[in-house]
Amino acid sequence: MPTADTDLRAAIDRIRLVDHHVHSVVVDNLTEDELELALTEPYAPPARPATVFDSQLGFAVRNWCAPVLGLPSFASAGSYVARRAELGAAEVNRRFLRAAGASDLLVDVGYQGDRLIPDAALAEAGGFTVHTLMRLEAAAERWVTSDAVGVDGLDAVLRESALGAVGFKSVAAYRGGLRLPAEPPAPEAVEAALLHWRDEQRTRDTPPRLTDQVIVRHLIWWALRDGRPVQFHTGFGDPDLLLHEADPLLLQGLLVRAADLRTPVTLLHCYPFVRQAGYLAAVLPHVYFDVGLTSNHIGTSAVTAVRESLELAPFGKVLYSSDAYALPELVYLGARQWRSAIHTVLDENRREHGWPAEECLRVAELIGRENAVAAYRLD
Amino acid sequence: MPTADTDLRAAIDRIRLVDHHVHSVVVDNLTEDELELALTEPYAPPARPATVFDSQLGFAVRNWCAPVLGLPSFASAGSYVARRAELGAAEVNRRFLRAAGASDLLVDVGYQGDRLIPDAALAEAGGFTVHTLMRLEAAAERWVTSDAVGVDGLDAVLRESALGAVGFKSVAAYRGGLRLPAEPPAPEAVEAALLHWRDEQRTRDTPPRLTDQVIVRHLIWWALRDGRPVQFHTGFGDPDLLLHEADPLLLQGLLVRAADLRTPVTLLHCYPFVRQAGYLAAVLPHVYFDVGLTSNHIGTSAVTAVRESLELAPFGKVLYSSDAYALPELVYLGARQWRSAIHTVLDENRREHGWPAEECLRVAELIGRENAVAAYRLD
Amino acid sequence: MPTADTDLRAAIDRIRLVDHHVHSVVVDNLTEDELELALTEPYAPPARPATVFDSQLGFAVRNWCAPVLGLPSFASAGSYVARRAELGAAEVNRRFLRAAGASDLLVDVGYQGDRLIPDAALAEAGGFTVHTLMRLEAAAERWVTSDAVGVDGLDAVLRESALGAVGFKSVAAYRGGLRLPAEPPAPEAVEAALLHWRDEQRTRDTPPRLTDQVIVRHLIWWALRDGRPVQFHTGFGDPDLLLHEADPLLLQGLLVRAADLRTPVTLLHCYPFVRQAGYLAAVLPHVYFDVGLTSNHIGTSAVTAVRESLELAPFGKVLYSSDAYALPELVYLGARQWRSAIHTVLDENRREHGWPAEECLRVAELIGRENAVAAYRLD
């Protein structure tokens, strides 16, 4: 039972996190340029002389990741890359993944998944359990190049793709934005859209990319009716996402309409619309959210995002994720920065407003672990 | 004259608040479920195992309200409810209402007002003066089931309903949102809309609910021309309000157009669009705003909302309200959390930026009391 | 090399700022009313009894400007105005401009420039180098009353106006808002729009004011193709700007489309959309932004805006400006409040997160000076 600041921090550091939205990692040695590219992915590095090493994320790597590799804090990018190569990517992965202190990762395998190591290797390297998230649009893109026919065929592909998955992921934000009608699309409209997409795709020799809004909405409603939790990318991402169209509030009508289904919906990232997501989580019984990705990219300001996430929503509606991609550093940094930020916020409340330390710890455990266990039924 | 932190806090605690937007309270003993429902009202409690007792508002009740009932801080919800029953609702009301330290309440009686105790009983219980706010849409809904004819008949109902009121309240945010045209509706359009609504209502056996945008706008302009202050719900509320359509910035065109009328307009709640409201209050001479409701629901983060409210707008344009509804706890918590938050912000400025303590106190008195006295002509 | 808090602050105070967006000043003695008007410009003072002297900006003038004139902090507005007159406007200008500690000012001469002292006098008074920013809409308004014909004629006026300028300024936010199509307008549409505007202007005896969206967009693309940095007003301004339409995110499509041109784009002010601007600066290699104007008007809360500006964007993408207009106080306050705010944020990171003092100073130097030197090629 923590009774003081240092005890509270130590107890928070011991929470076995559930990282409820994350990607796998590469097992590559990286040059300095490749490391910068991986840190800025999926967007381009800044115009010189700016560099991503001079950013919250770059400073965090030098500050917190360097010691995990046995370097002093704020080692230079050059010495960091050299040390990374010296240890080898497999050992680097092992160190960072284990340092995250997570028991469970929910892995979205839908995005350029073949560059990344398989789930079993990831679980082995990190010493945690890996669960699978099925990306809806990726399943539809398998359908369009398959022989399956119409809505029934698509739904069969979805069902098959969903086998063993603990939840779904929608990237509607990247496929036209979140300004979606409240109601599900009419079945005949879905059939027509599927026919049109199949025809169009046959004339192309590029990989399929779903952008048809009727089909995007069909996938969402299919998943909402399935009942397993549905994740939505909201807020910031790479520049082919129009951030103005990724405000989670744009989903409000749809989420209200879907409320009776009682399917958990989890809003991911949310930055800079964290308070907007907190509102949805407050007023809609089955809506959850996180500030994953955000807590990695805004570094020492993660405390601000975490503080905002604890404003309007019940503490039982906030989740933890890293949204790490490719670099094992990001799995670790997400965890480390979240632990630091949640401790700062809760300890402020302990010192300035008299919250008991055990209540503070309980809130941290809800967010870092228990809420996800309940929403995804991991136990 | 305060000269130090503790003096400043004590002086702020002594300010006789004008709570410029609040509802009356119930005089019921409550079960634990009923208390949770009242705390989440008007939206549903979160899906289990989440509970509103684990939220900023829930923690605030346990932390600050329990001692008012003679319990230790962070008493359990169960013991809190038991103690509430033991004291009886009338005594509970008396304690919380008096602990708020308010001299004047401006009460919006337009929302489910019959569940709540009458103004005279409220004034008696709290030892403060109660003033009335007339809700525009409620008056129109009385018109539609009356015999009064057309615009003239509606305006007569409005005039009569406004007798003795110190101001008006618009819930346009709930009746189609704030994306309203700048100009008043044409008189013939209002006549036509009224005819249509009356006809439609005659075919129904449900209580009337105004959603016609032309009539909603007519009510706003009627009130703006009256000259008494007009309050607008903006920002968060229950889920039948689309938060994206409740950004006070959507009113900018209308407020610019109405500026020459010099009628005070007060933007209520505003969260998460507090800075947007501050901008409108800064650039438009007769626009005021508050962070009421917000300061109740975001608990220890009220300091963030209060800090944001003191960015762009002159201090003479910020008001205090609790927006309490049904629970006397909320009248008290609104006051307590505002006093704590404004003290924190002002004392930071005193310590870090050299603001004299007497200037800090003057700012707190403006916001907690003087600005509302001037805008609503309460003296 | 700074090693502690006080050293870091002193080193930040010594940075020779590049104020990359500012206007010239008047050389007038001012009455108290005129001073209030100048502080609220370009919008009207608040309805009485509110006064802009009771605002963050008013408190900042009394707190930080009074001592520059030899008065105690928090001198009254009356004694401040008297002391200003006693010293004379020229001496007042000299004191504040020099106290800003800037080496270079980039001056936008496009807005009511003839009320303000010429660049040479400004440079002389302040002891800094003055560079010129060409305001695009002002040049077009010279074209419409000239004999120059069509797009070729307009482009010739633009080229001539741009001689010697280090960059451009667009006030599209004031001329219809930032909700602009991504692509450049078709040449024939520009020709038609110019013809129409010329014809329309000939029938008027008011000064021209460009609001045609096709021409506004032509100016932007002309400047983007020129290659010198293009500044956009974004975020708050006076009330004829609809703030909802001044969100920098509305420019995302256009900025993505223009990315291949590699022209630096700088988003000005940005409040309350600072995080949105930071996102654009993070994902688009040539986009920069500042919190100028903001840091003047929100006073002691400038620290919040500065903290938000250091979240997502690389530190090499953030610039400094005061956006001072007319009052030399604003050149000084912008600098003083930025130095205080950036110190607070960086020193927090030093104390709480272990950022080395020399890294903190390097970040401050990037933002206060080096980034602008690189983007505008001032060396």
Side-chain angles (χ1 to χ4, degrees), chain B residues 73-369:
Chain B
S73 272
F74 275 90
S76 70
S79 60
Y80 184 85
V81 165
R83 177 65 179 155
R84 227 179 172 282
E86 186 178 44
L87 289 168
E91 170 64 10
V92 168
N93 282 355
R94 204 191 62 81
R95 289 198 185 187
F96 285 119
L97 295 176
R98 287 177 186 258
S103 68
D104 295 78
L105 267 63
L106 277 59
V107 176
D108 172 9
V109 298
Y111 180 58
Q112 300 179 355
D114 45 358
R115 294 174 48 197
L116 310 174
I117 65 174
D119 287 357
L122 181 68
E124 168 71 24
F128 35 59
T129 304
V130 168
H131 309 267
T132 302
L133 297 165
M134 193 270 262
R135 191 182 282 215
L136 294 165
E137 294 81 5
E141 287 159 0
R142 284 193 296 277
W143 169 86
V144 79
T145 56
S146 76
D147 296 326
V149 176
V151 174
D152 288 346
L154 171 59
D155 291 358
V157 172
L158 290 168
R159 273 193 307 275
E160 189 184 41
S161 303
L163 285 176
V166 296
F168 304 103
K169 164 86 179 287
S170 165
V171 291
Y174 280 96
R175 307 302 179 91
L178 299 178
R179 204 178 290 271
L180 298 172
E183 67 281 356
E188 54 275 23
V190 180
E191 289 288 9
L194 289 173
L195 271 175
H196 178 75
W197 186 29
R198 173 71 59 80
D199 285 349
E200 195 185 49
Q201 184 61 32
R202 279 184 178 140
T203 68
R204 295 188 181 177
D205 52 5
T206 53
R209 181 176 165 83
L210 174 65
T211 56
D212 183 282
Q213 295 297 290
V214 168
I215 304 174
V216 166
R217 290 161 57 208
H218 173 74
L219 300 176
I220 292 169
W221 282 98
W222 180 89
L224 288 168
R225 287 175 182 134
D226 172 273
R228 281 172 279 184
V230 183
Q231 303 182 342
F232 284 89
H233 179 109
T234 74
F236 84 118
D238 54 322
D240 68 324
L241 167 150
L242 283 174
L243 185 53
H244 200 264
E245 302 301 308
D247 184 338
L249 286 186
L250 296 172
L251 284 175
Q252 186 177 349
L254 188 152
L255 296 175
V256 168
R257 177 74 170 244
D260 288 346
L261 295 173
R262 298 176 181 240
T263 300
V265 168
T266 61
L267 306 170
L268 304 174
H269 324 322
C270 302
Y271 182 91
F273 310 113
V274 175
R275 288 167 160 170
Q276 284 82 335
Y279 164 76
L280 294 175
V283 301
L284 291 165
H286 299 84
V287 173
Y288 302 75
F289 73 114
D290 72 31
V291 291
L293 190 58
T294 305
S295 53
N296 251 333
H297 280 262
I298 68 174
T300 60
S301 278
V303 66
T304 307
V306 167
R307 193 181 285 115
E308 291 179 3
S309 74
L310 298 185
E311 289 181 354
L312 211 53
F315 309 138
K317 304 297 280 303
V318 190
L319 302 173
Y320 167 73
S321 80
S322 67
D323 197 33
Y325 181 83
L327 292 178
E329 280 90 338
L330 299 175
V331 180
Y332 168 65
L333 280 179
R336 196 200 188 288
Q337 296 188 152
W338 178 81
R339 293 185 204 270
S340 168
I342 194 84
H343 169 259
T344 300
V345 173
L346 292 171
D347 197 57
E348 275 170 12
N349 283 319
R350 189 185 63 80
R351 286 181 290 105
E352 296 173 19
H353 300 284
W355 287 16
E358 64 269 21
E359 295 279 353
C360 292
L361 180 57
R362 195 166 62 78
V363 171
E365 288 172 335
L366 284 173
I367 297 170
R369 176 173 187 81

Side-chain angles (χ1 to χ4, degrees), chain A residues 357-367, chain B residues 53-54 59 62:
Chain A
E358 63 270 22
E359 295 279 354
C360 292
L361 179 58
R362 197 166 61 78
V363 170
E365 288 172 336
L366 283 174
I367 298 170
Chain B
F53 291 112
D54 288 341
F59 272 34
R62 292 173 60 204

Side-chain angles (χ1 to χ4, degrees), chain A residues 245-261:
Chain A
E245 301 301 308
D247 184 337
L249 287 184
L250 297 171
L251 284 175
Q252 186 177 349
L254 188 150
L255 296 175
V256 168
R257 176 75 170 244
D260 288 345
L261 296 173

Side-chain angles (χ1 to χ4, degrees), chain C residues 88-352:
Chain C
E91 171 64 11
V92 168
N93 282 355
R94 204 191 60 82
R95 288 197 185 188
F96 284 119
L97 294 176
R98 288 177 185 260
S103 69
D104 296 77
L105 268 62
L106 277 59
V107 176
D108 171 9
V109 297
Y111 180 59
Q112 299 179 356
D114 45 359
R115 293 175 49 197
L116 310 174
I117 65 175
D119 287 358
L122 180 68
E124 168 72 21
F128 35 58
T129 305
V130 169
H131 310 266
T132 303
L133 296 164
M134 192 269 262
R135 191 182 282 216
L136 293 165
E137 294 81 5
E141 288 158 358
R142 284 193 295 277
W143 169 86
V144 79
T145 56
S146 76
D147 296 325
V149 177
V151 175
D152 289 346
L154 172 58
D155 291 359
V157 171
L158 290 168
R159 273 193 305 275
E160 188 184 42
S161 303
L163 285 175
V166 296
F168 304 103
K169 165 87 179 287
S170 165
V171 290
Y174 281 97
R175 307 302 178 91
L178 300 180
R179 204 178 290 271
L180 298 172
E183 67 282 356
E188 53 274 26
V190 180
E191 289 287 8
L194 288 173
L195 270 174
H196 179 76
W197 187 29
R198 173 71 59 79
D199 285 349
E200 195 185 50
Q201 184 60 32
R202 279 184 178 141
T203 68
R204 295 187 181 177
D205 52 6
T206 53
R209 182 176 164 85
L210 174 65
T211 56
D212 182 281
Q213 295 296 290
V214 168
I215 305 174
V216 166
R217 290 161 58 210
H218 173 74
L219 299 176
I220 292 169
W221 283 98
W222 181 89
L224 289 168
R225 288 174 182 136
D226 173 273
R228 281 172 279 183
V230 183
Q231 304 182 341
F232 284 90
H233 179 109
T234 75
F236 84 118
D238 55 324
D240 68 325
L241 168 150
L242 284 174
L243 184 53
H244 200 266
E245 302 300 309
D247 183 337
L249 286 185
L250 296 171
L251 284 175
Q252 186 177 348
L254 188 151
L255 295 175
V256 168
R257 177 75 171 244
D260 288 346
L261 294 173
R262 299 176 180 238
T263 300
V265 168
T266 61
L267 307 171
L268 304 174
H269 324 322
C270 303
Y271 182 92
F273 310 113
V274 175
R275 288 166 159 171
Q276 284 83 335
Y279 164 75
L280 294 175
V283 301
L284 291 165
H286 299 86
V287 172
Y288 302 75
F289 73 113
D290 72 33
V291 292
L293 189 58
T294 306
S295 53
N296 251 333
H297 280 262
I298 70 176
T300 60
S301 278
V303 66
T304 308
V306 167
R307 192 181 285 114
E308 291 180 1
S309 74
L310 298 186
E311 289 182 354
L312 212 53
F315 309 138
K317 306 296 280 302
V318 189
L319 302 174
Y320 168 73
S321 79
S322 66
D323 197 32
Y325 182 84
L327 292 178
E329 279 89 341
L330 299 175
V331 179
Y332 168 65
L333 280 179
R336 195 199 189 289
Q337 296 188 153
W338 178 82
R339 292 185 204 270
S340 168
I342 194 84
H343 169 259
T344 299
V345 174
L346 292 171
D347 197 57
E348 275 169 12
N349 282 321
R350 188 184 64 80
R351 287 181 289 106
E352 296 174 18

Side-chain angles (χ1 to χ4, degrees), chain A residues 52-72:
Chain A
V52 84
F53 291 111
D54 288 343
S55 71
Q56 286 281 2
L57 182 55
F59 272 35
V61 168
R62 292 173 58 203
N63 197 4
W64 306 122
C65 294
V68 176
L69 304 188
L71 295 172

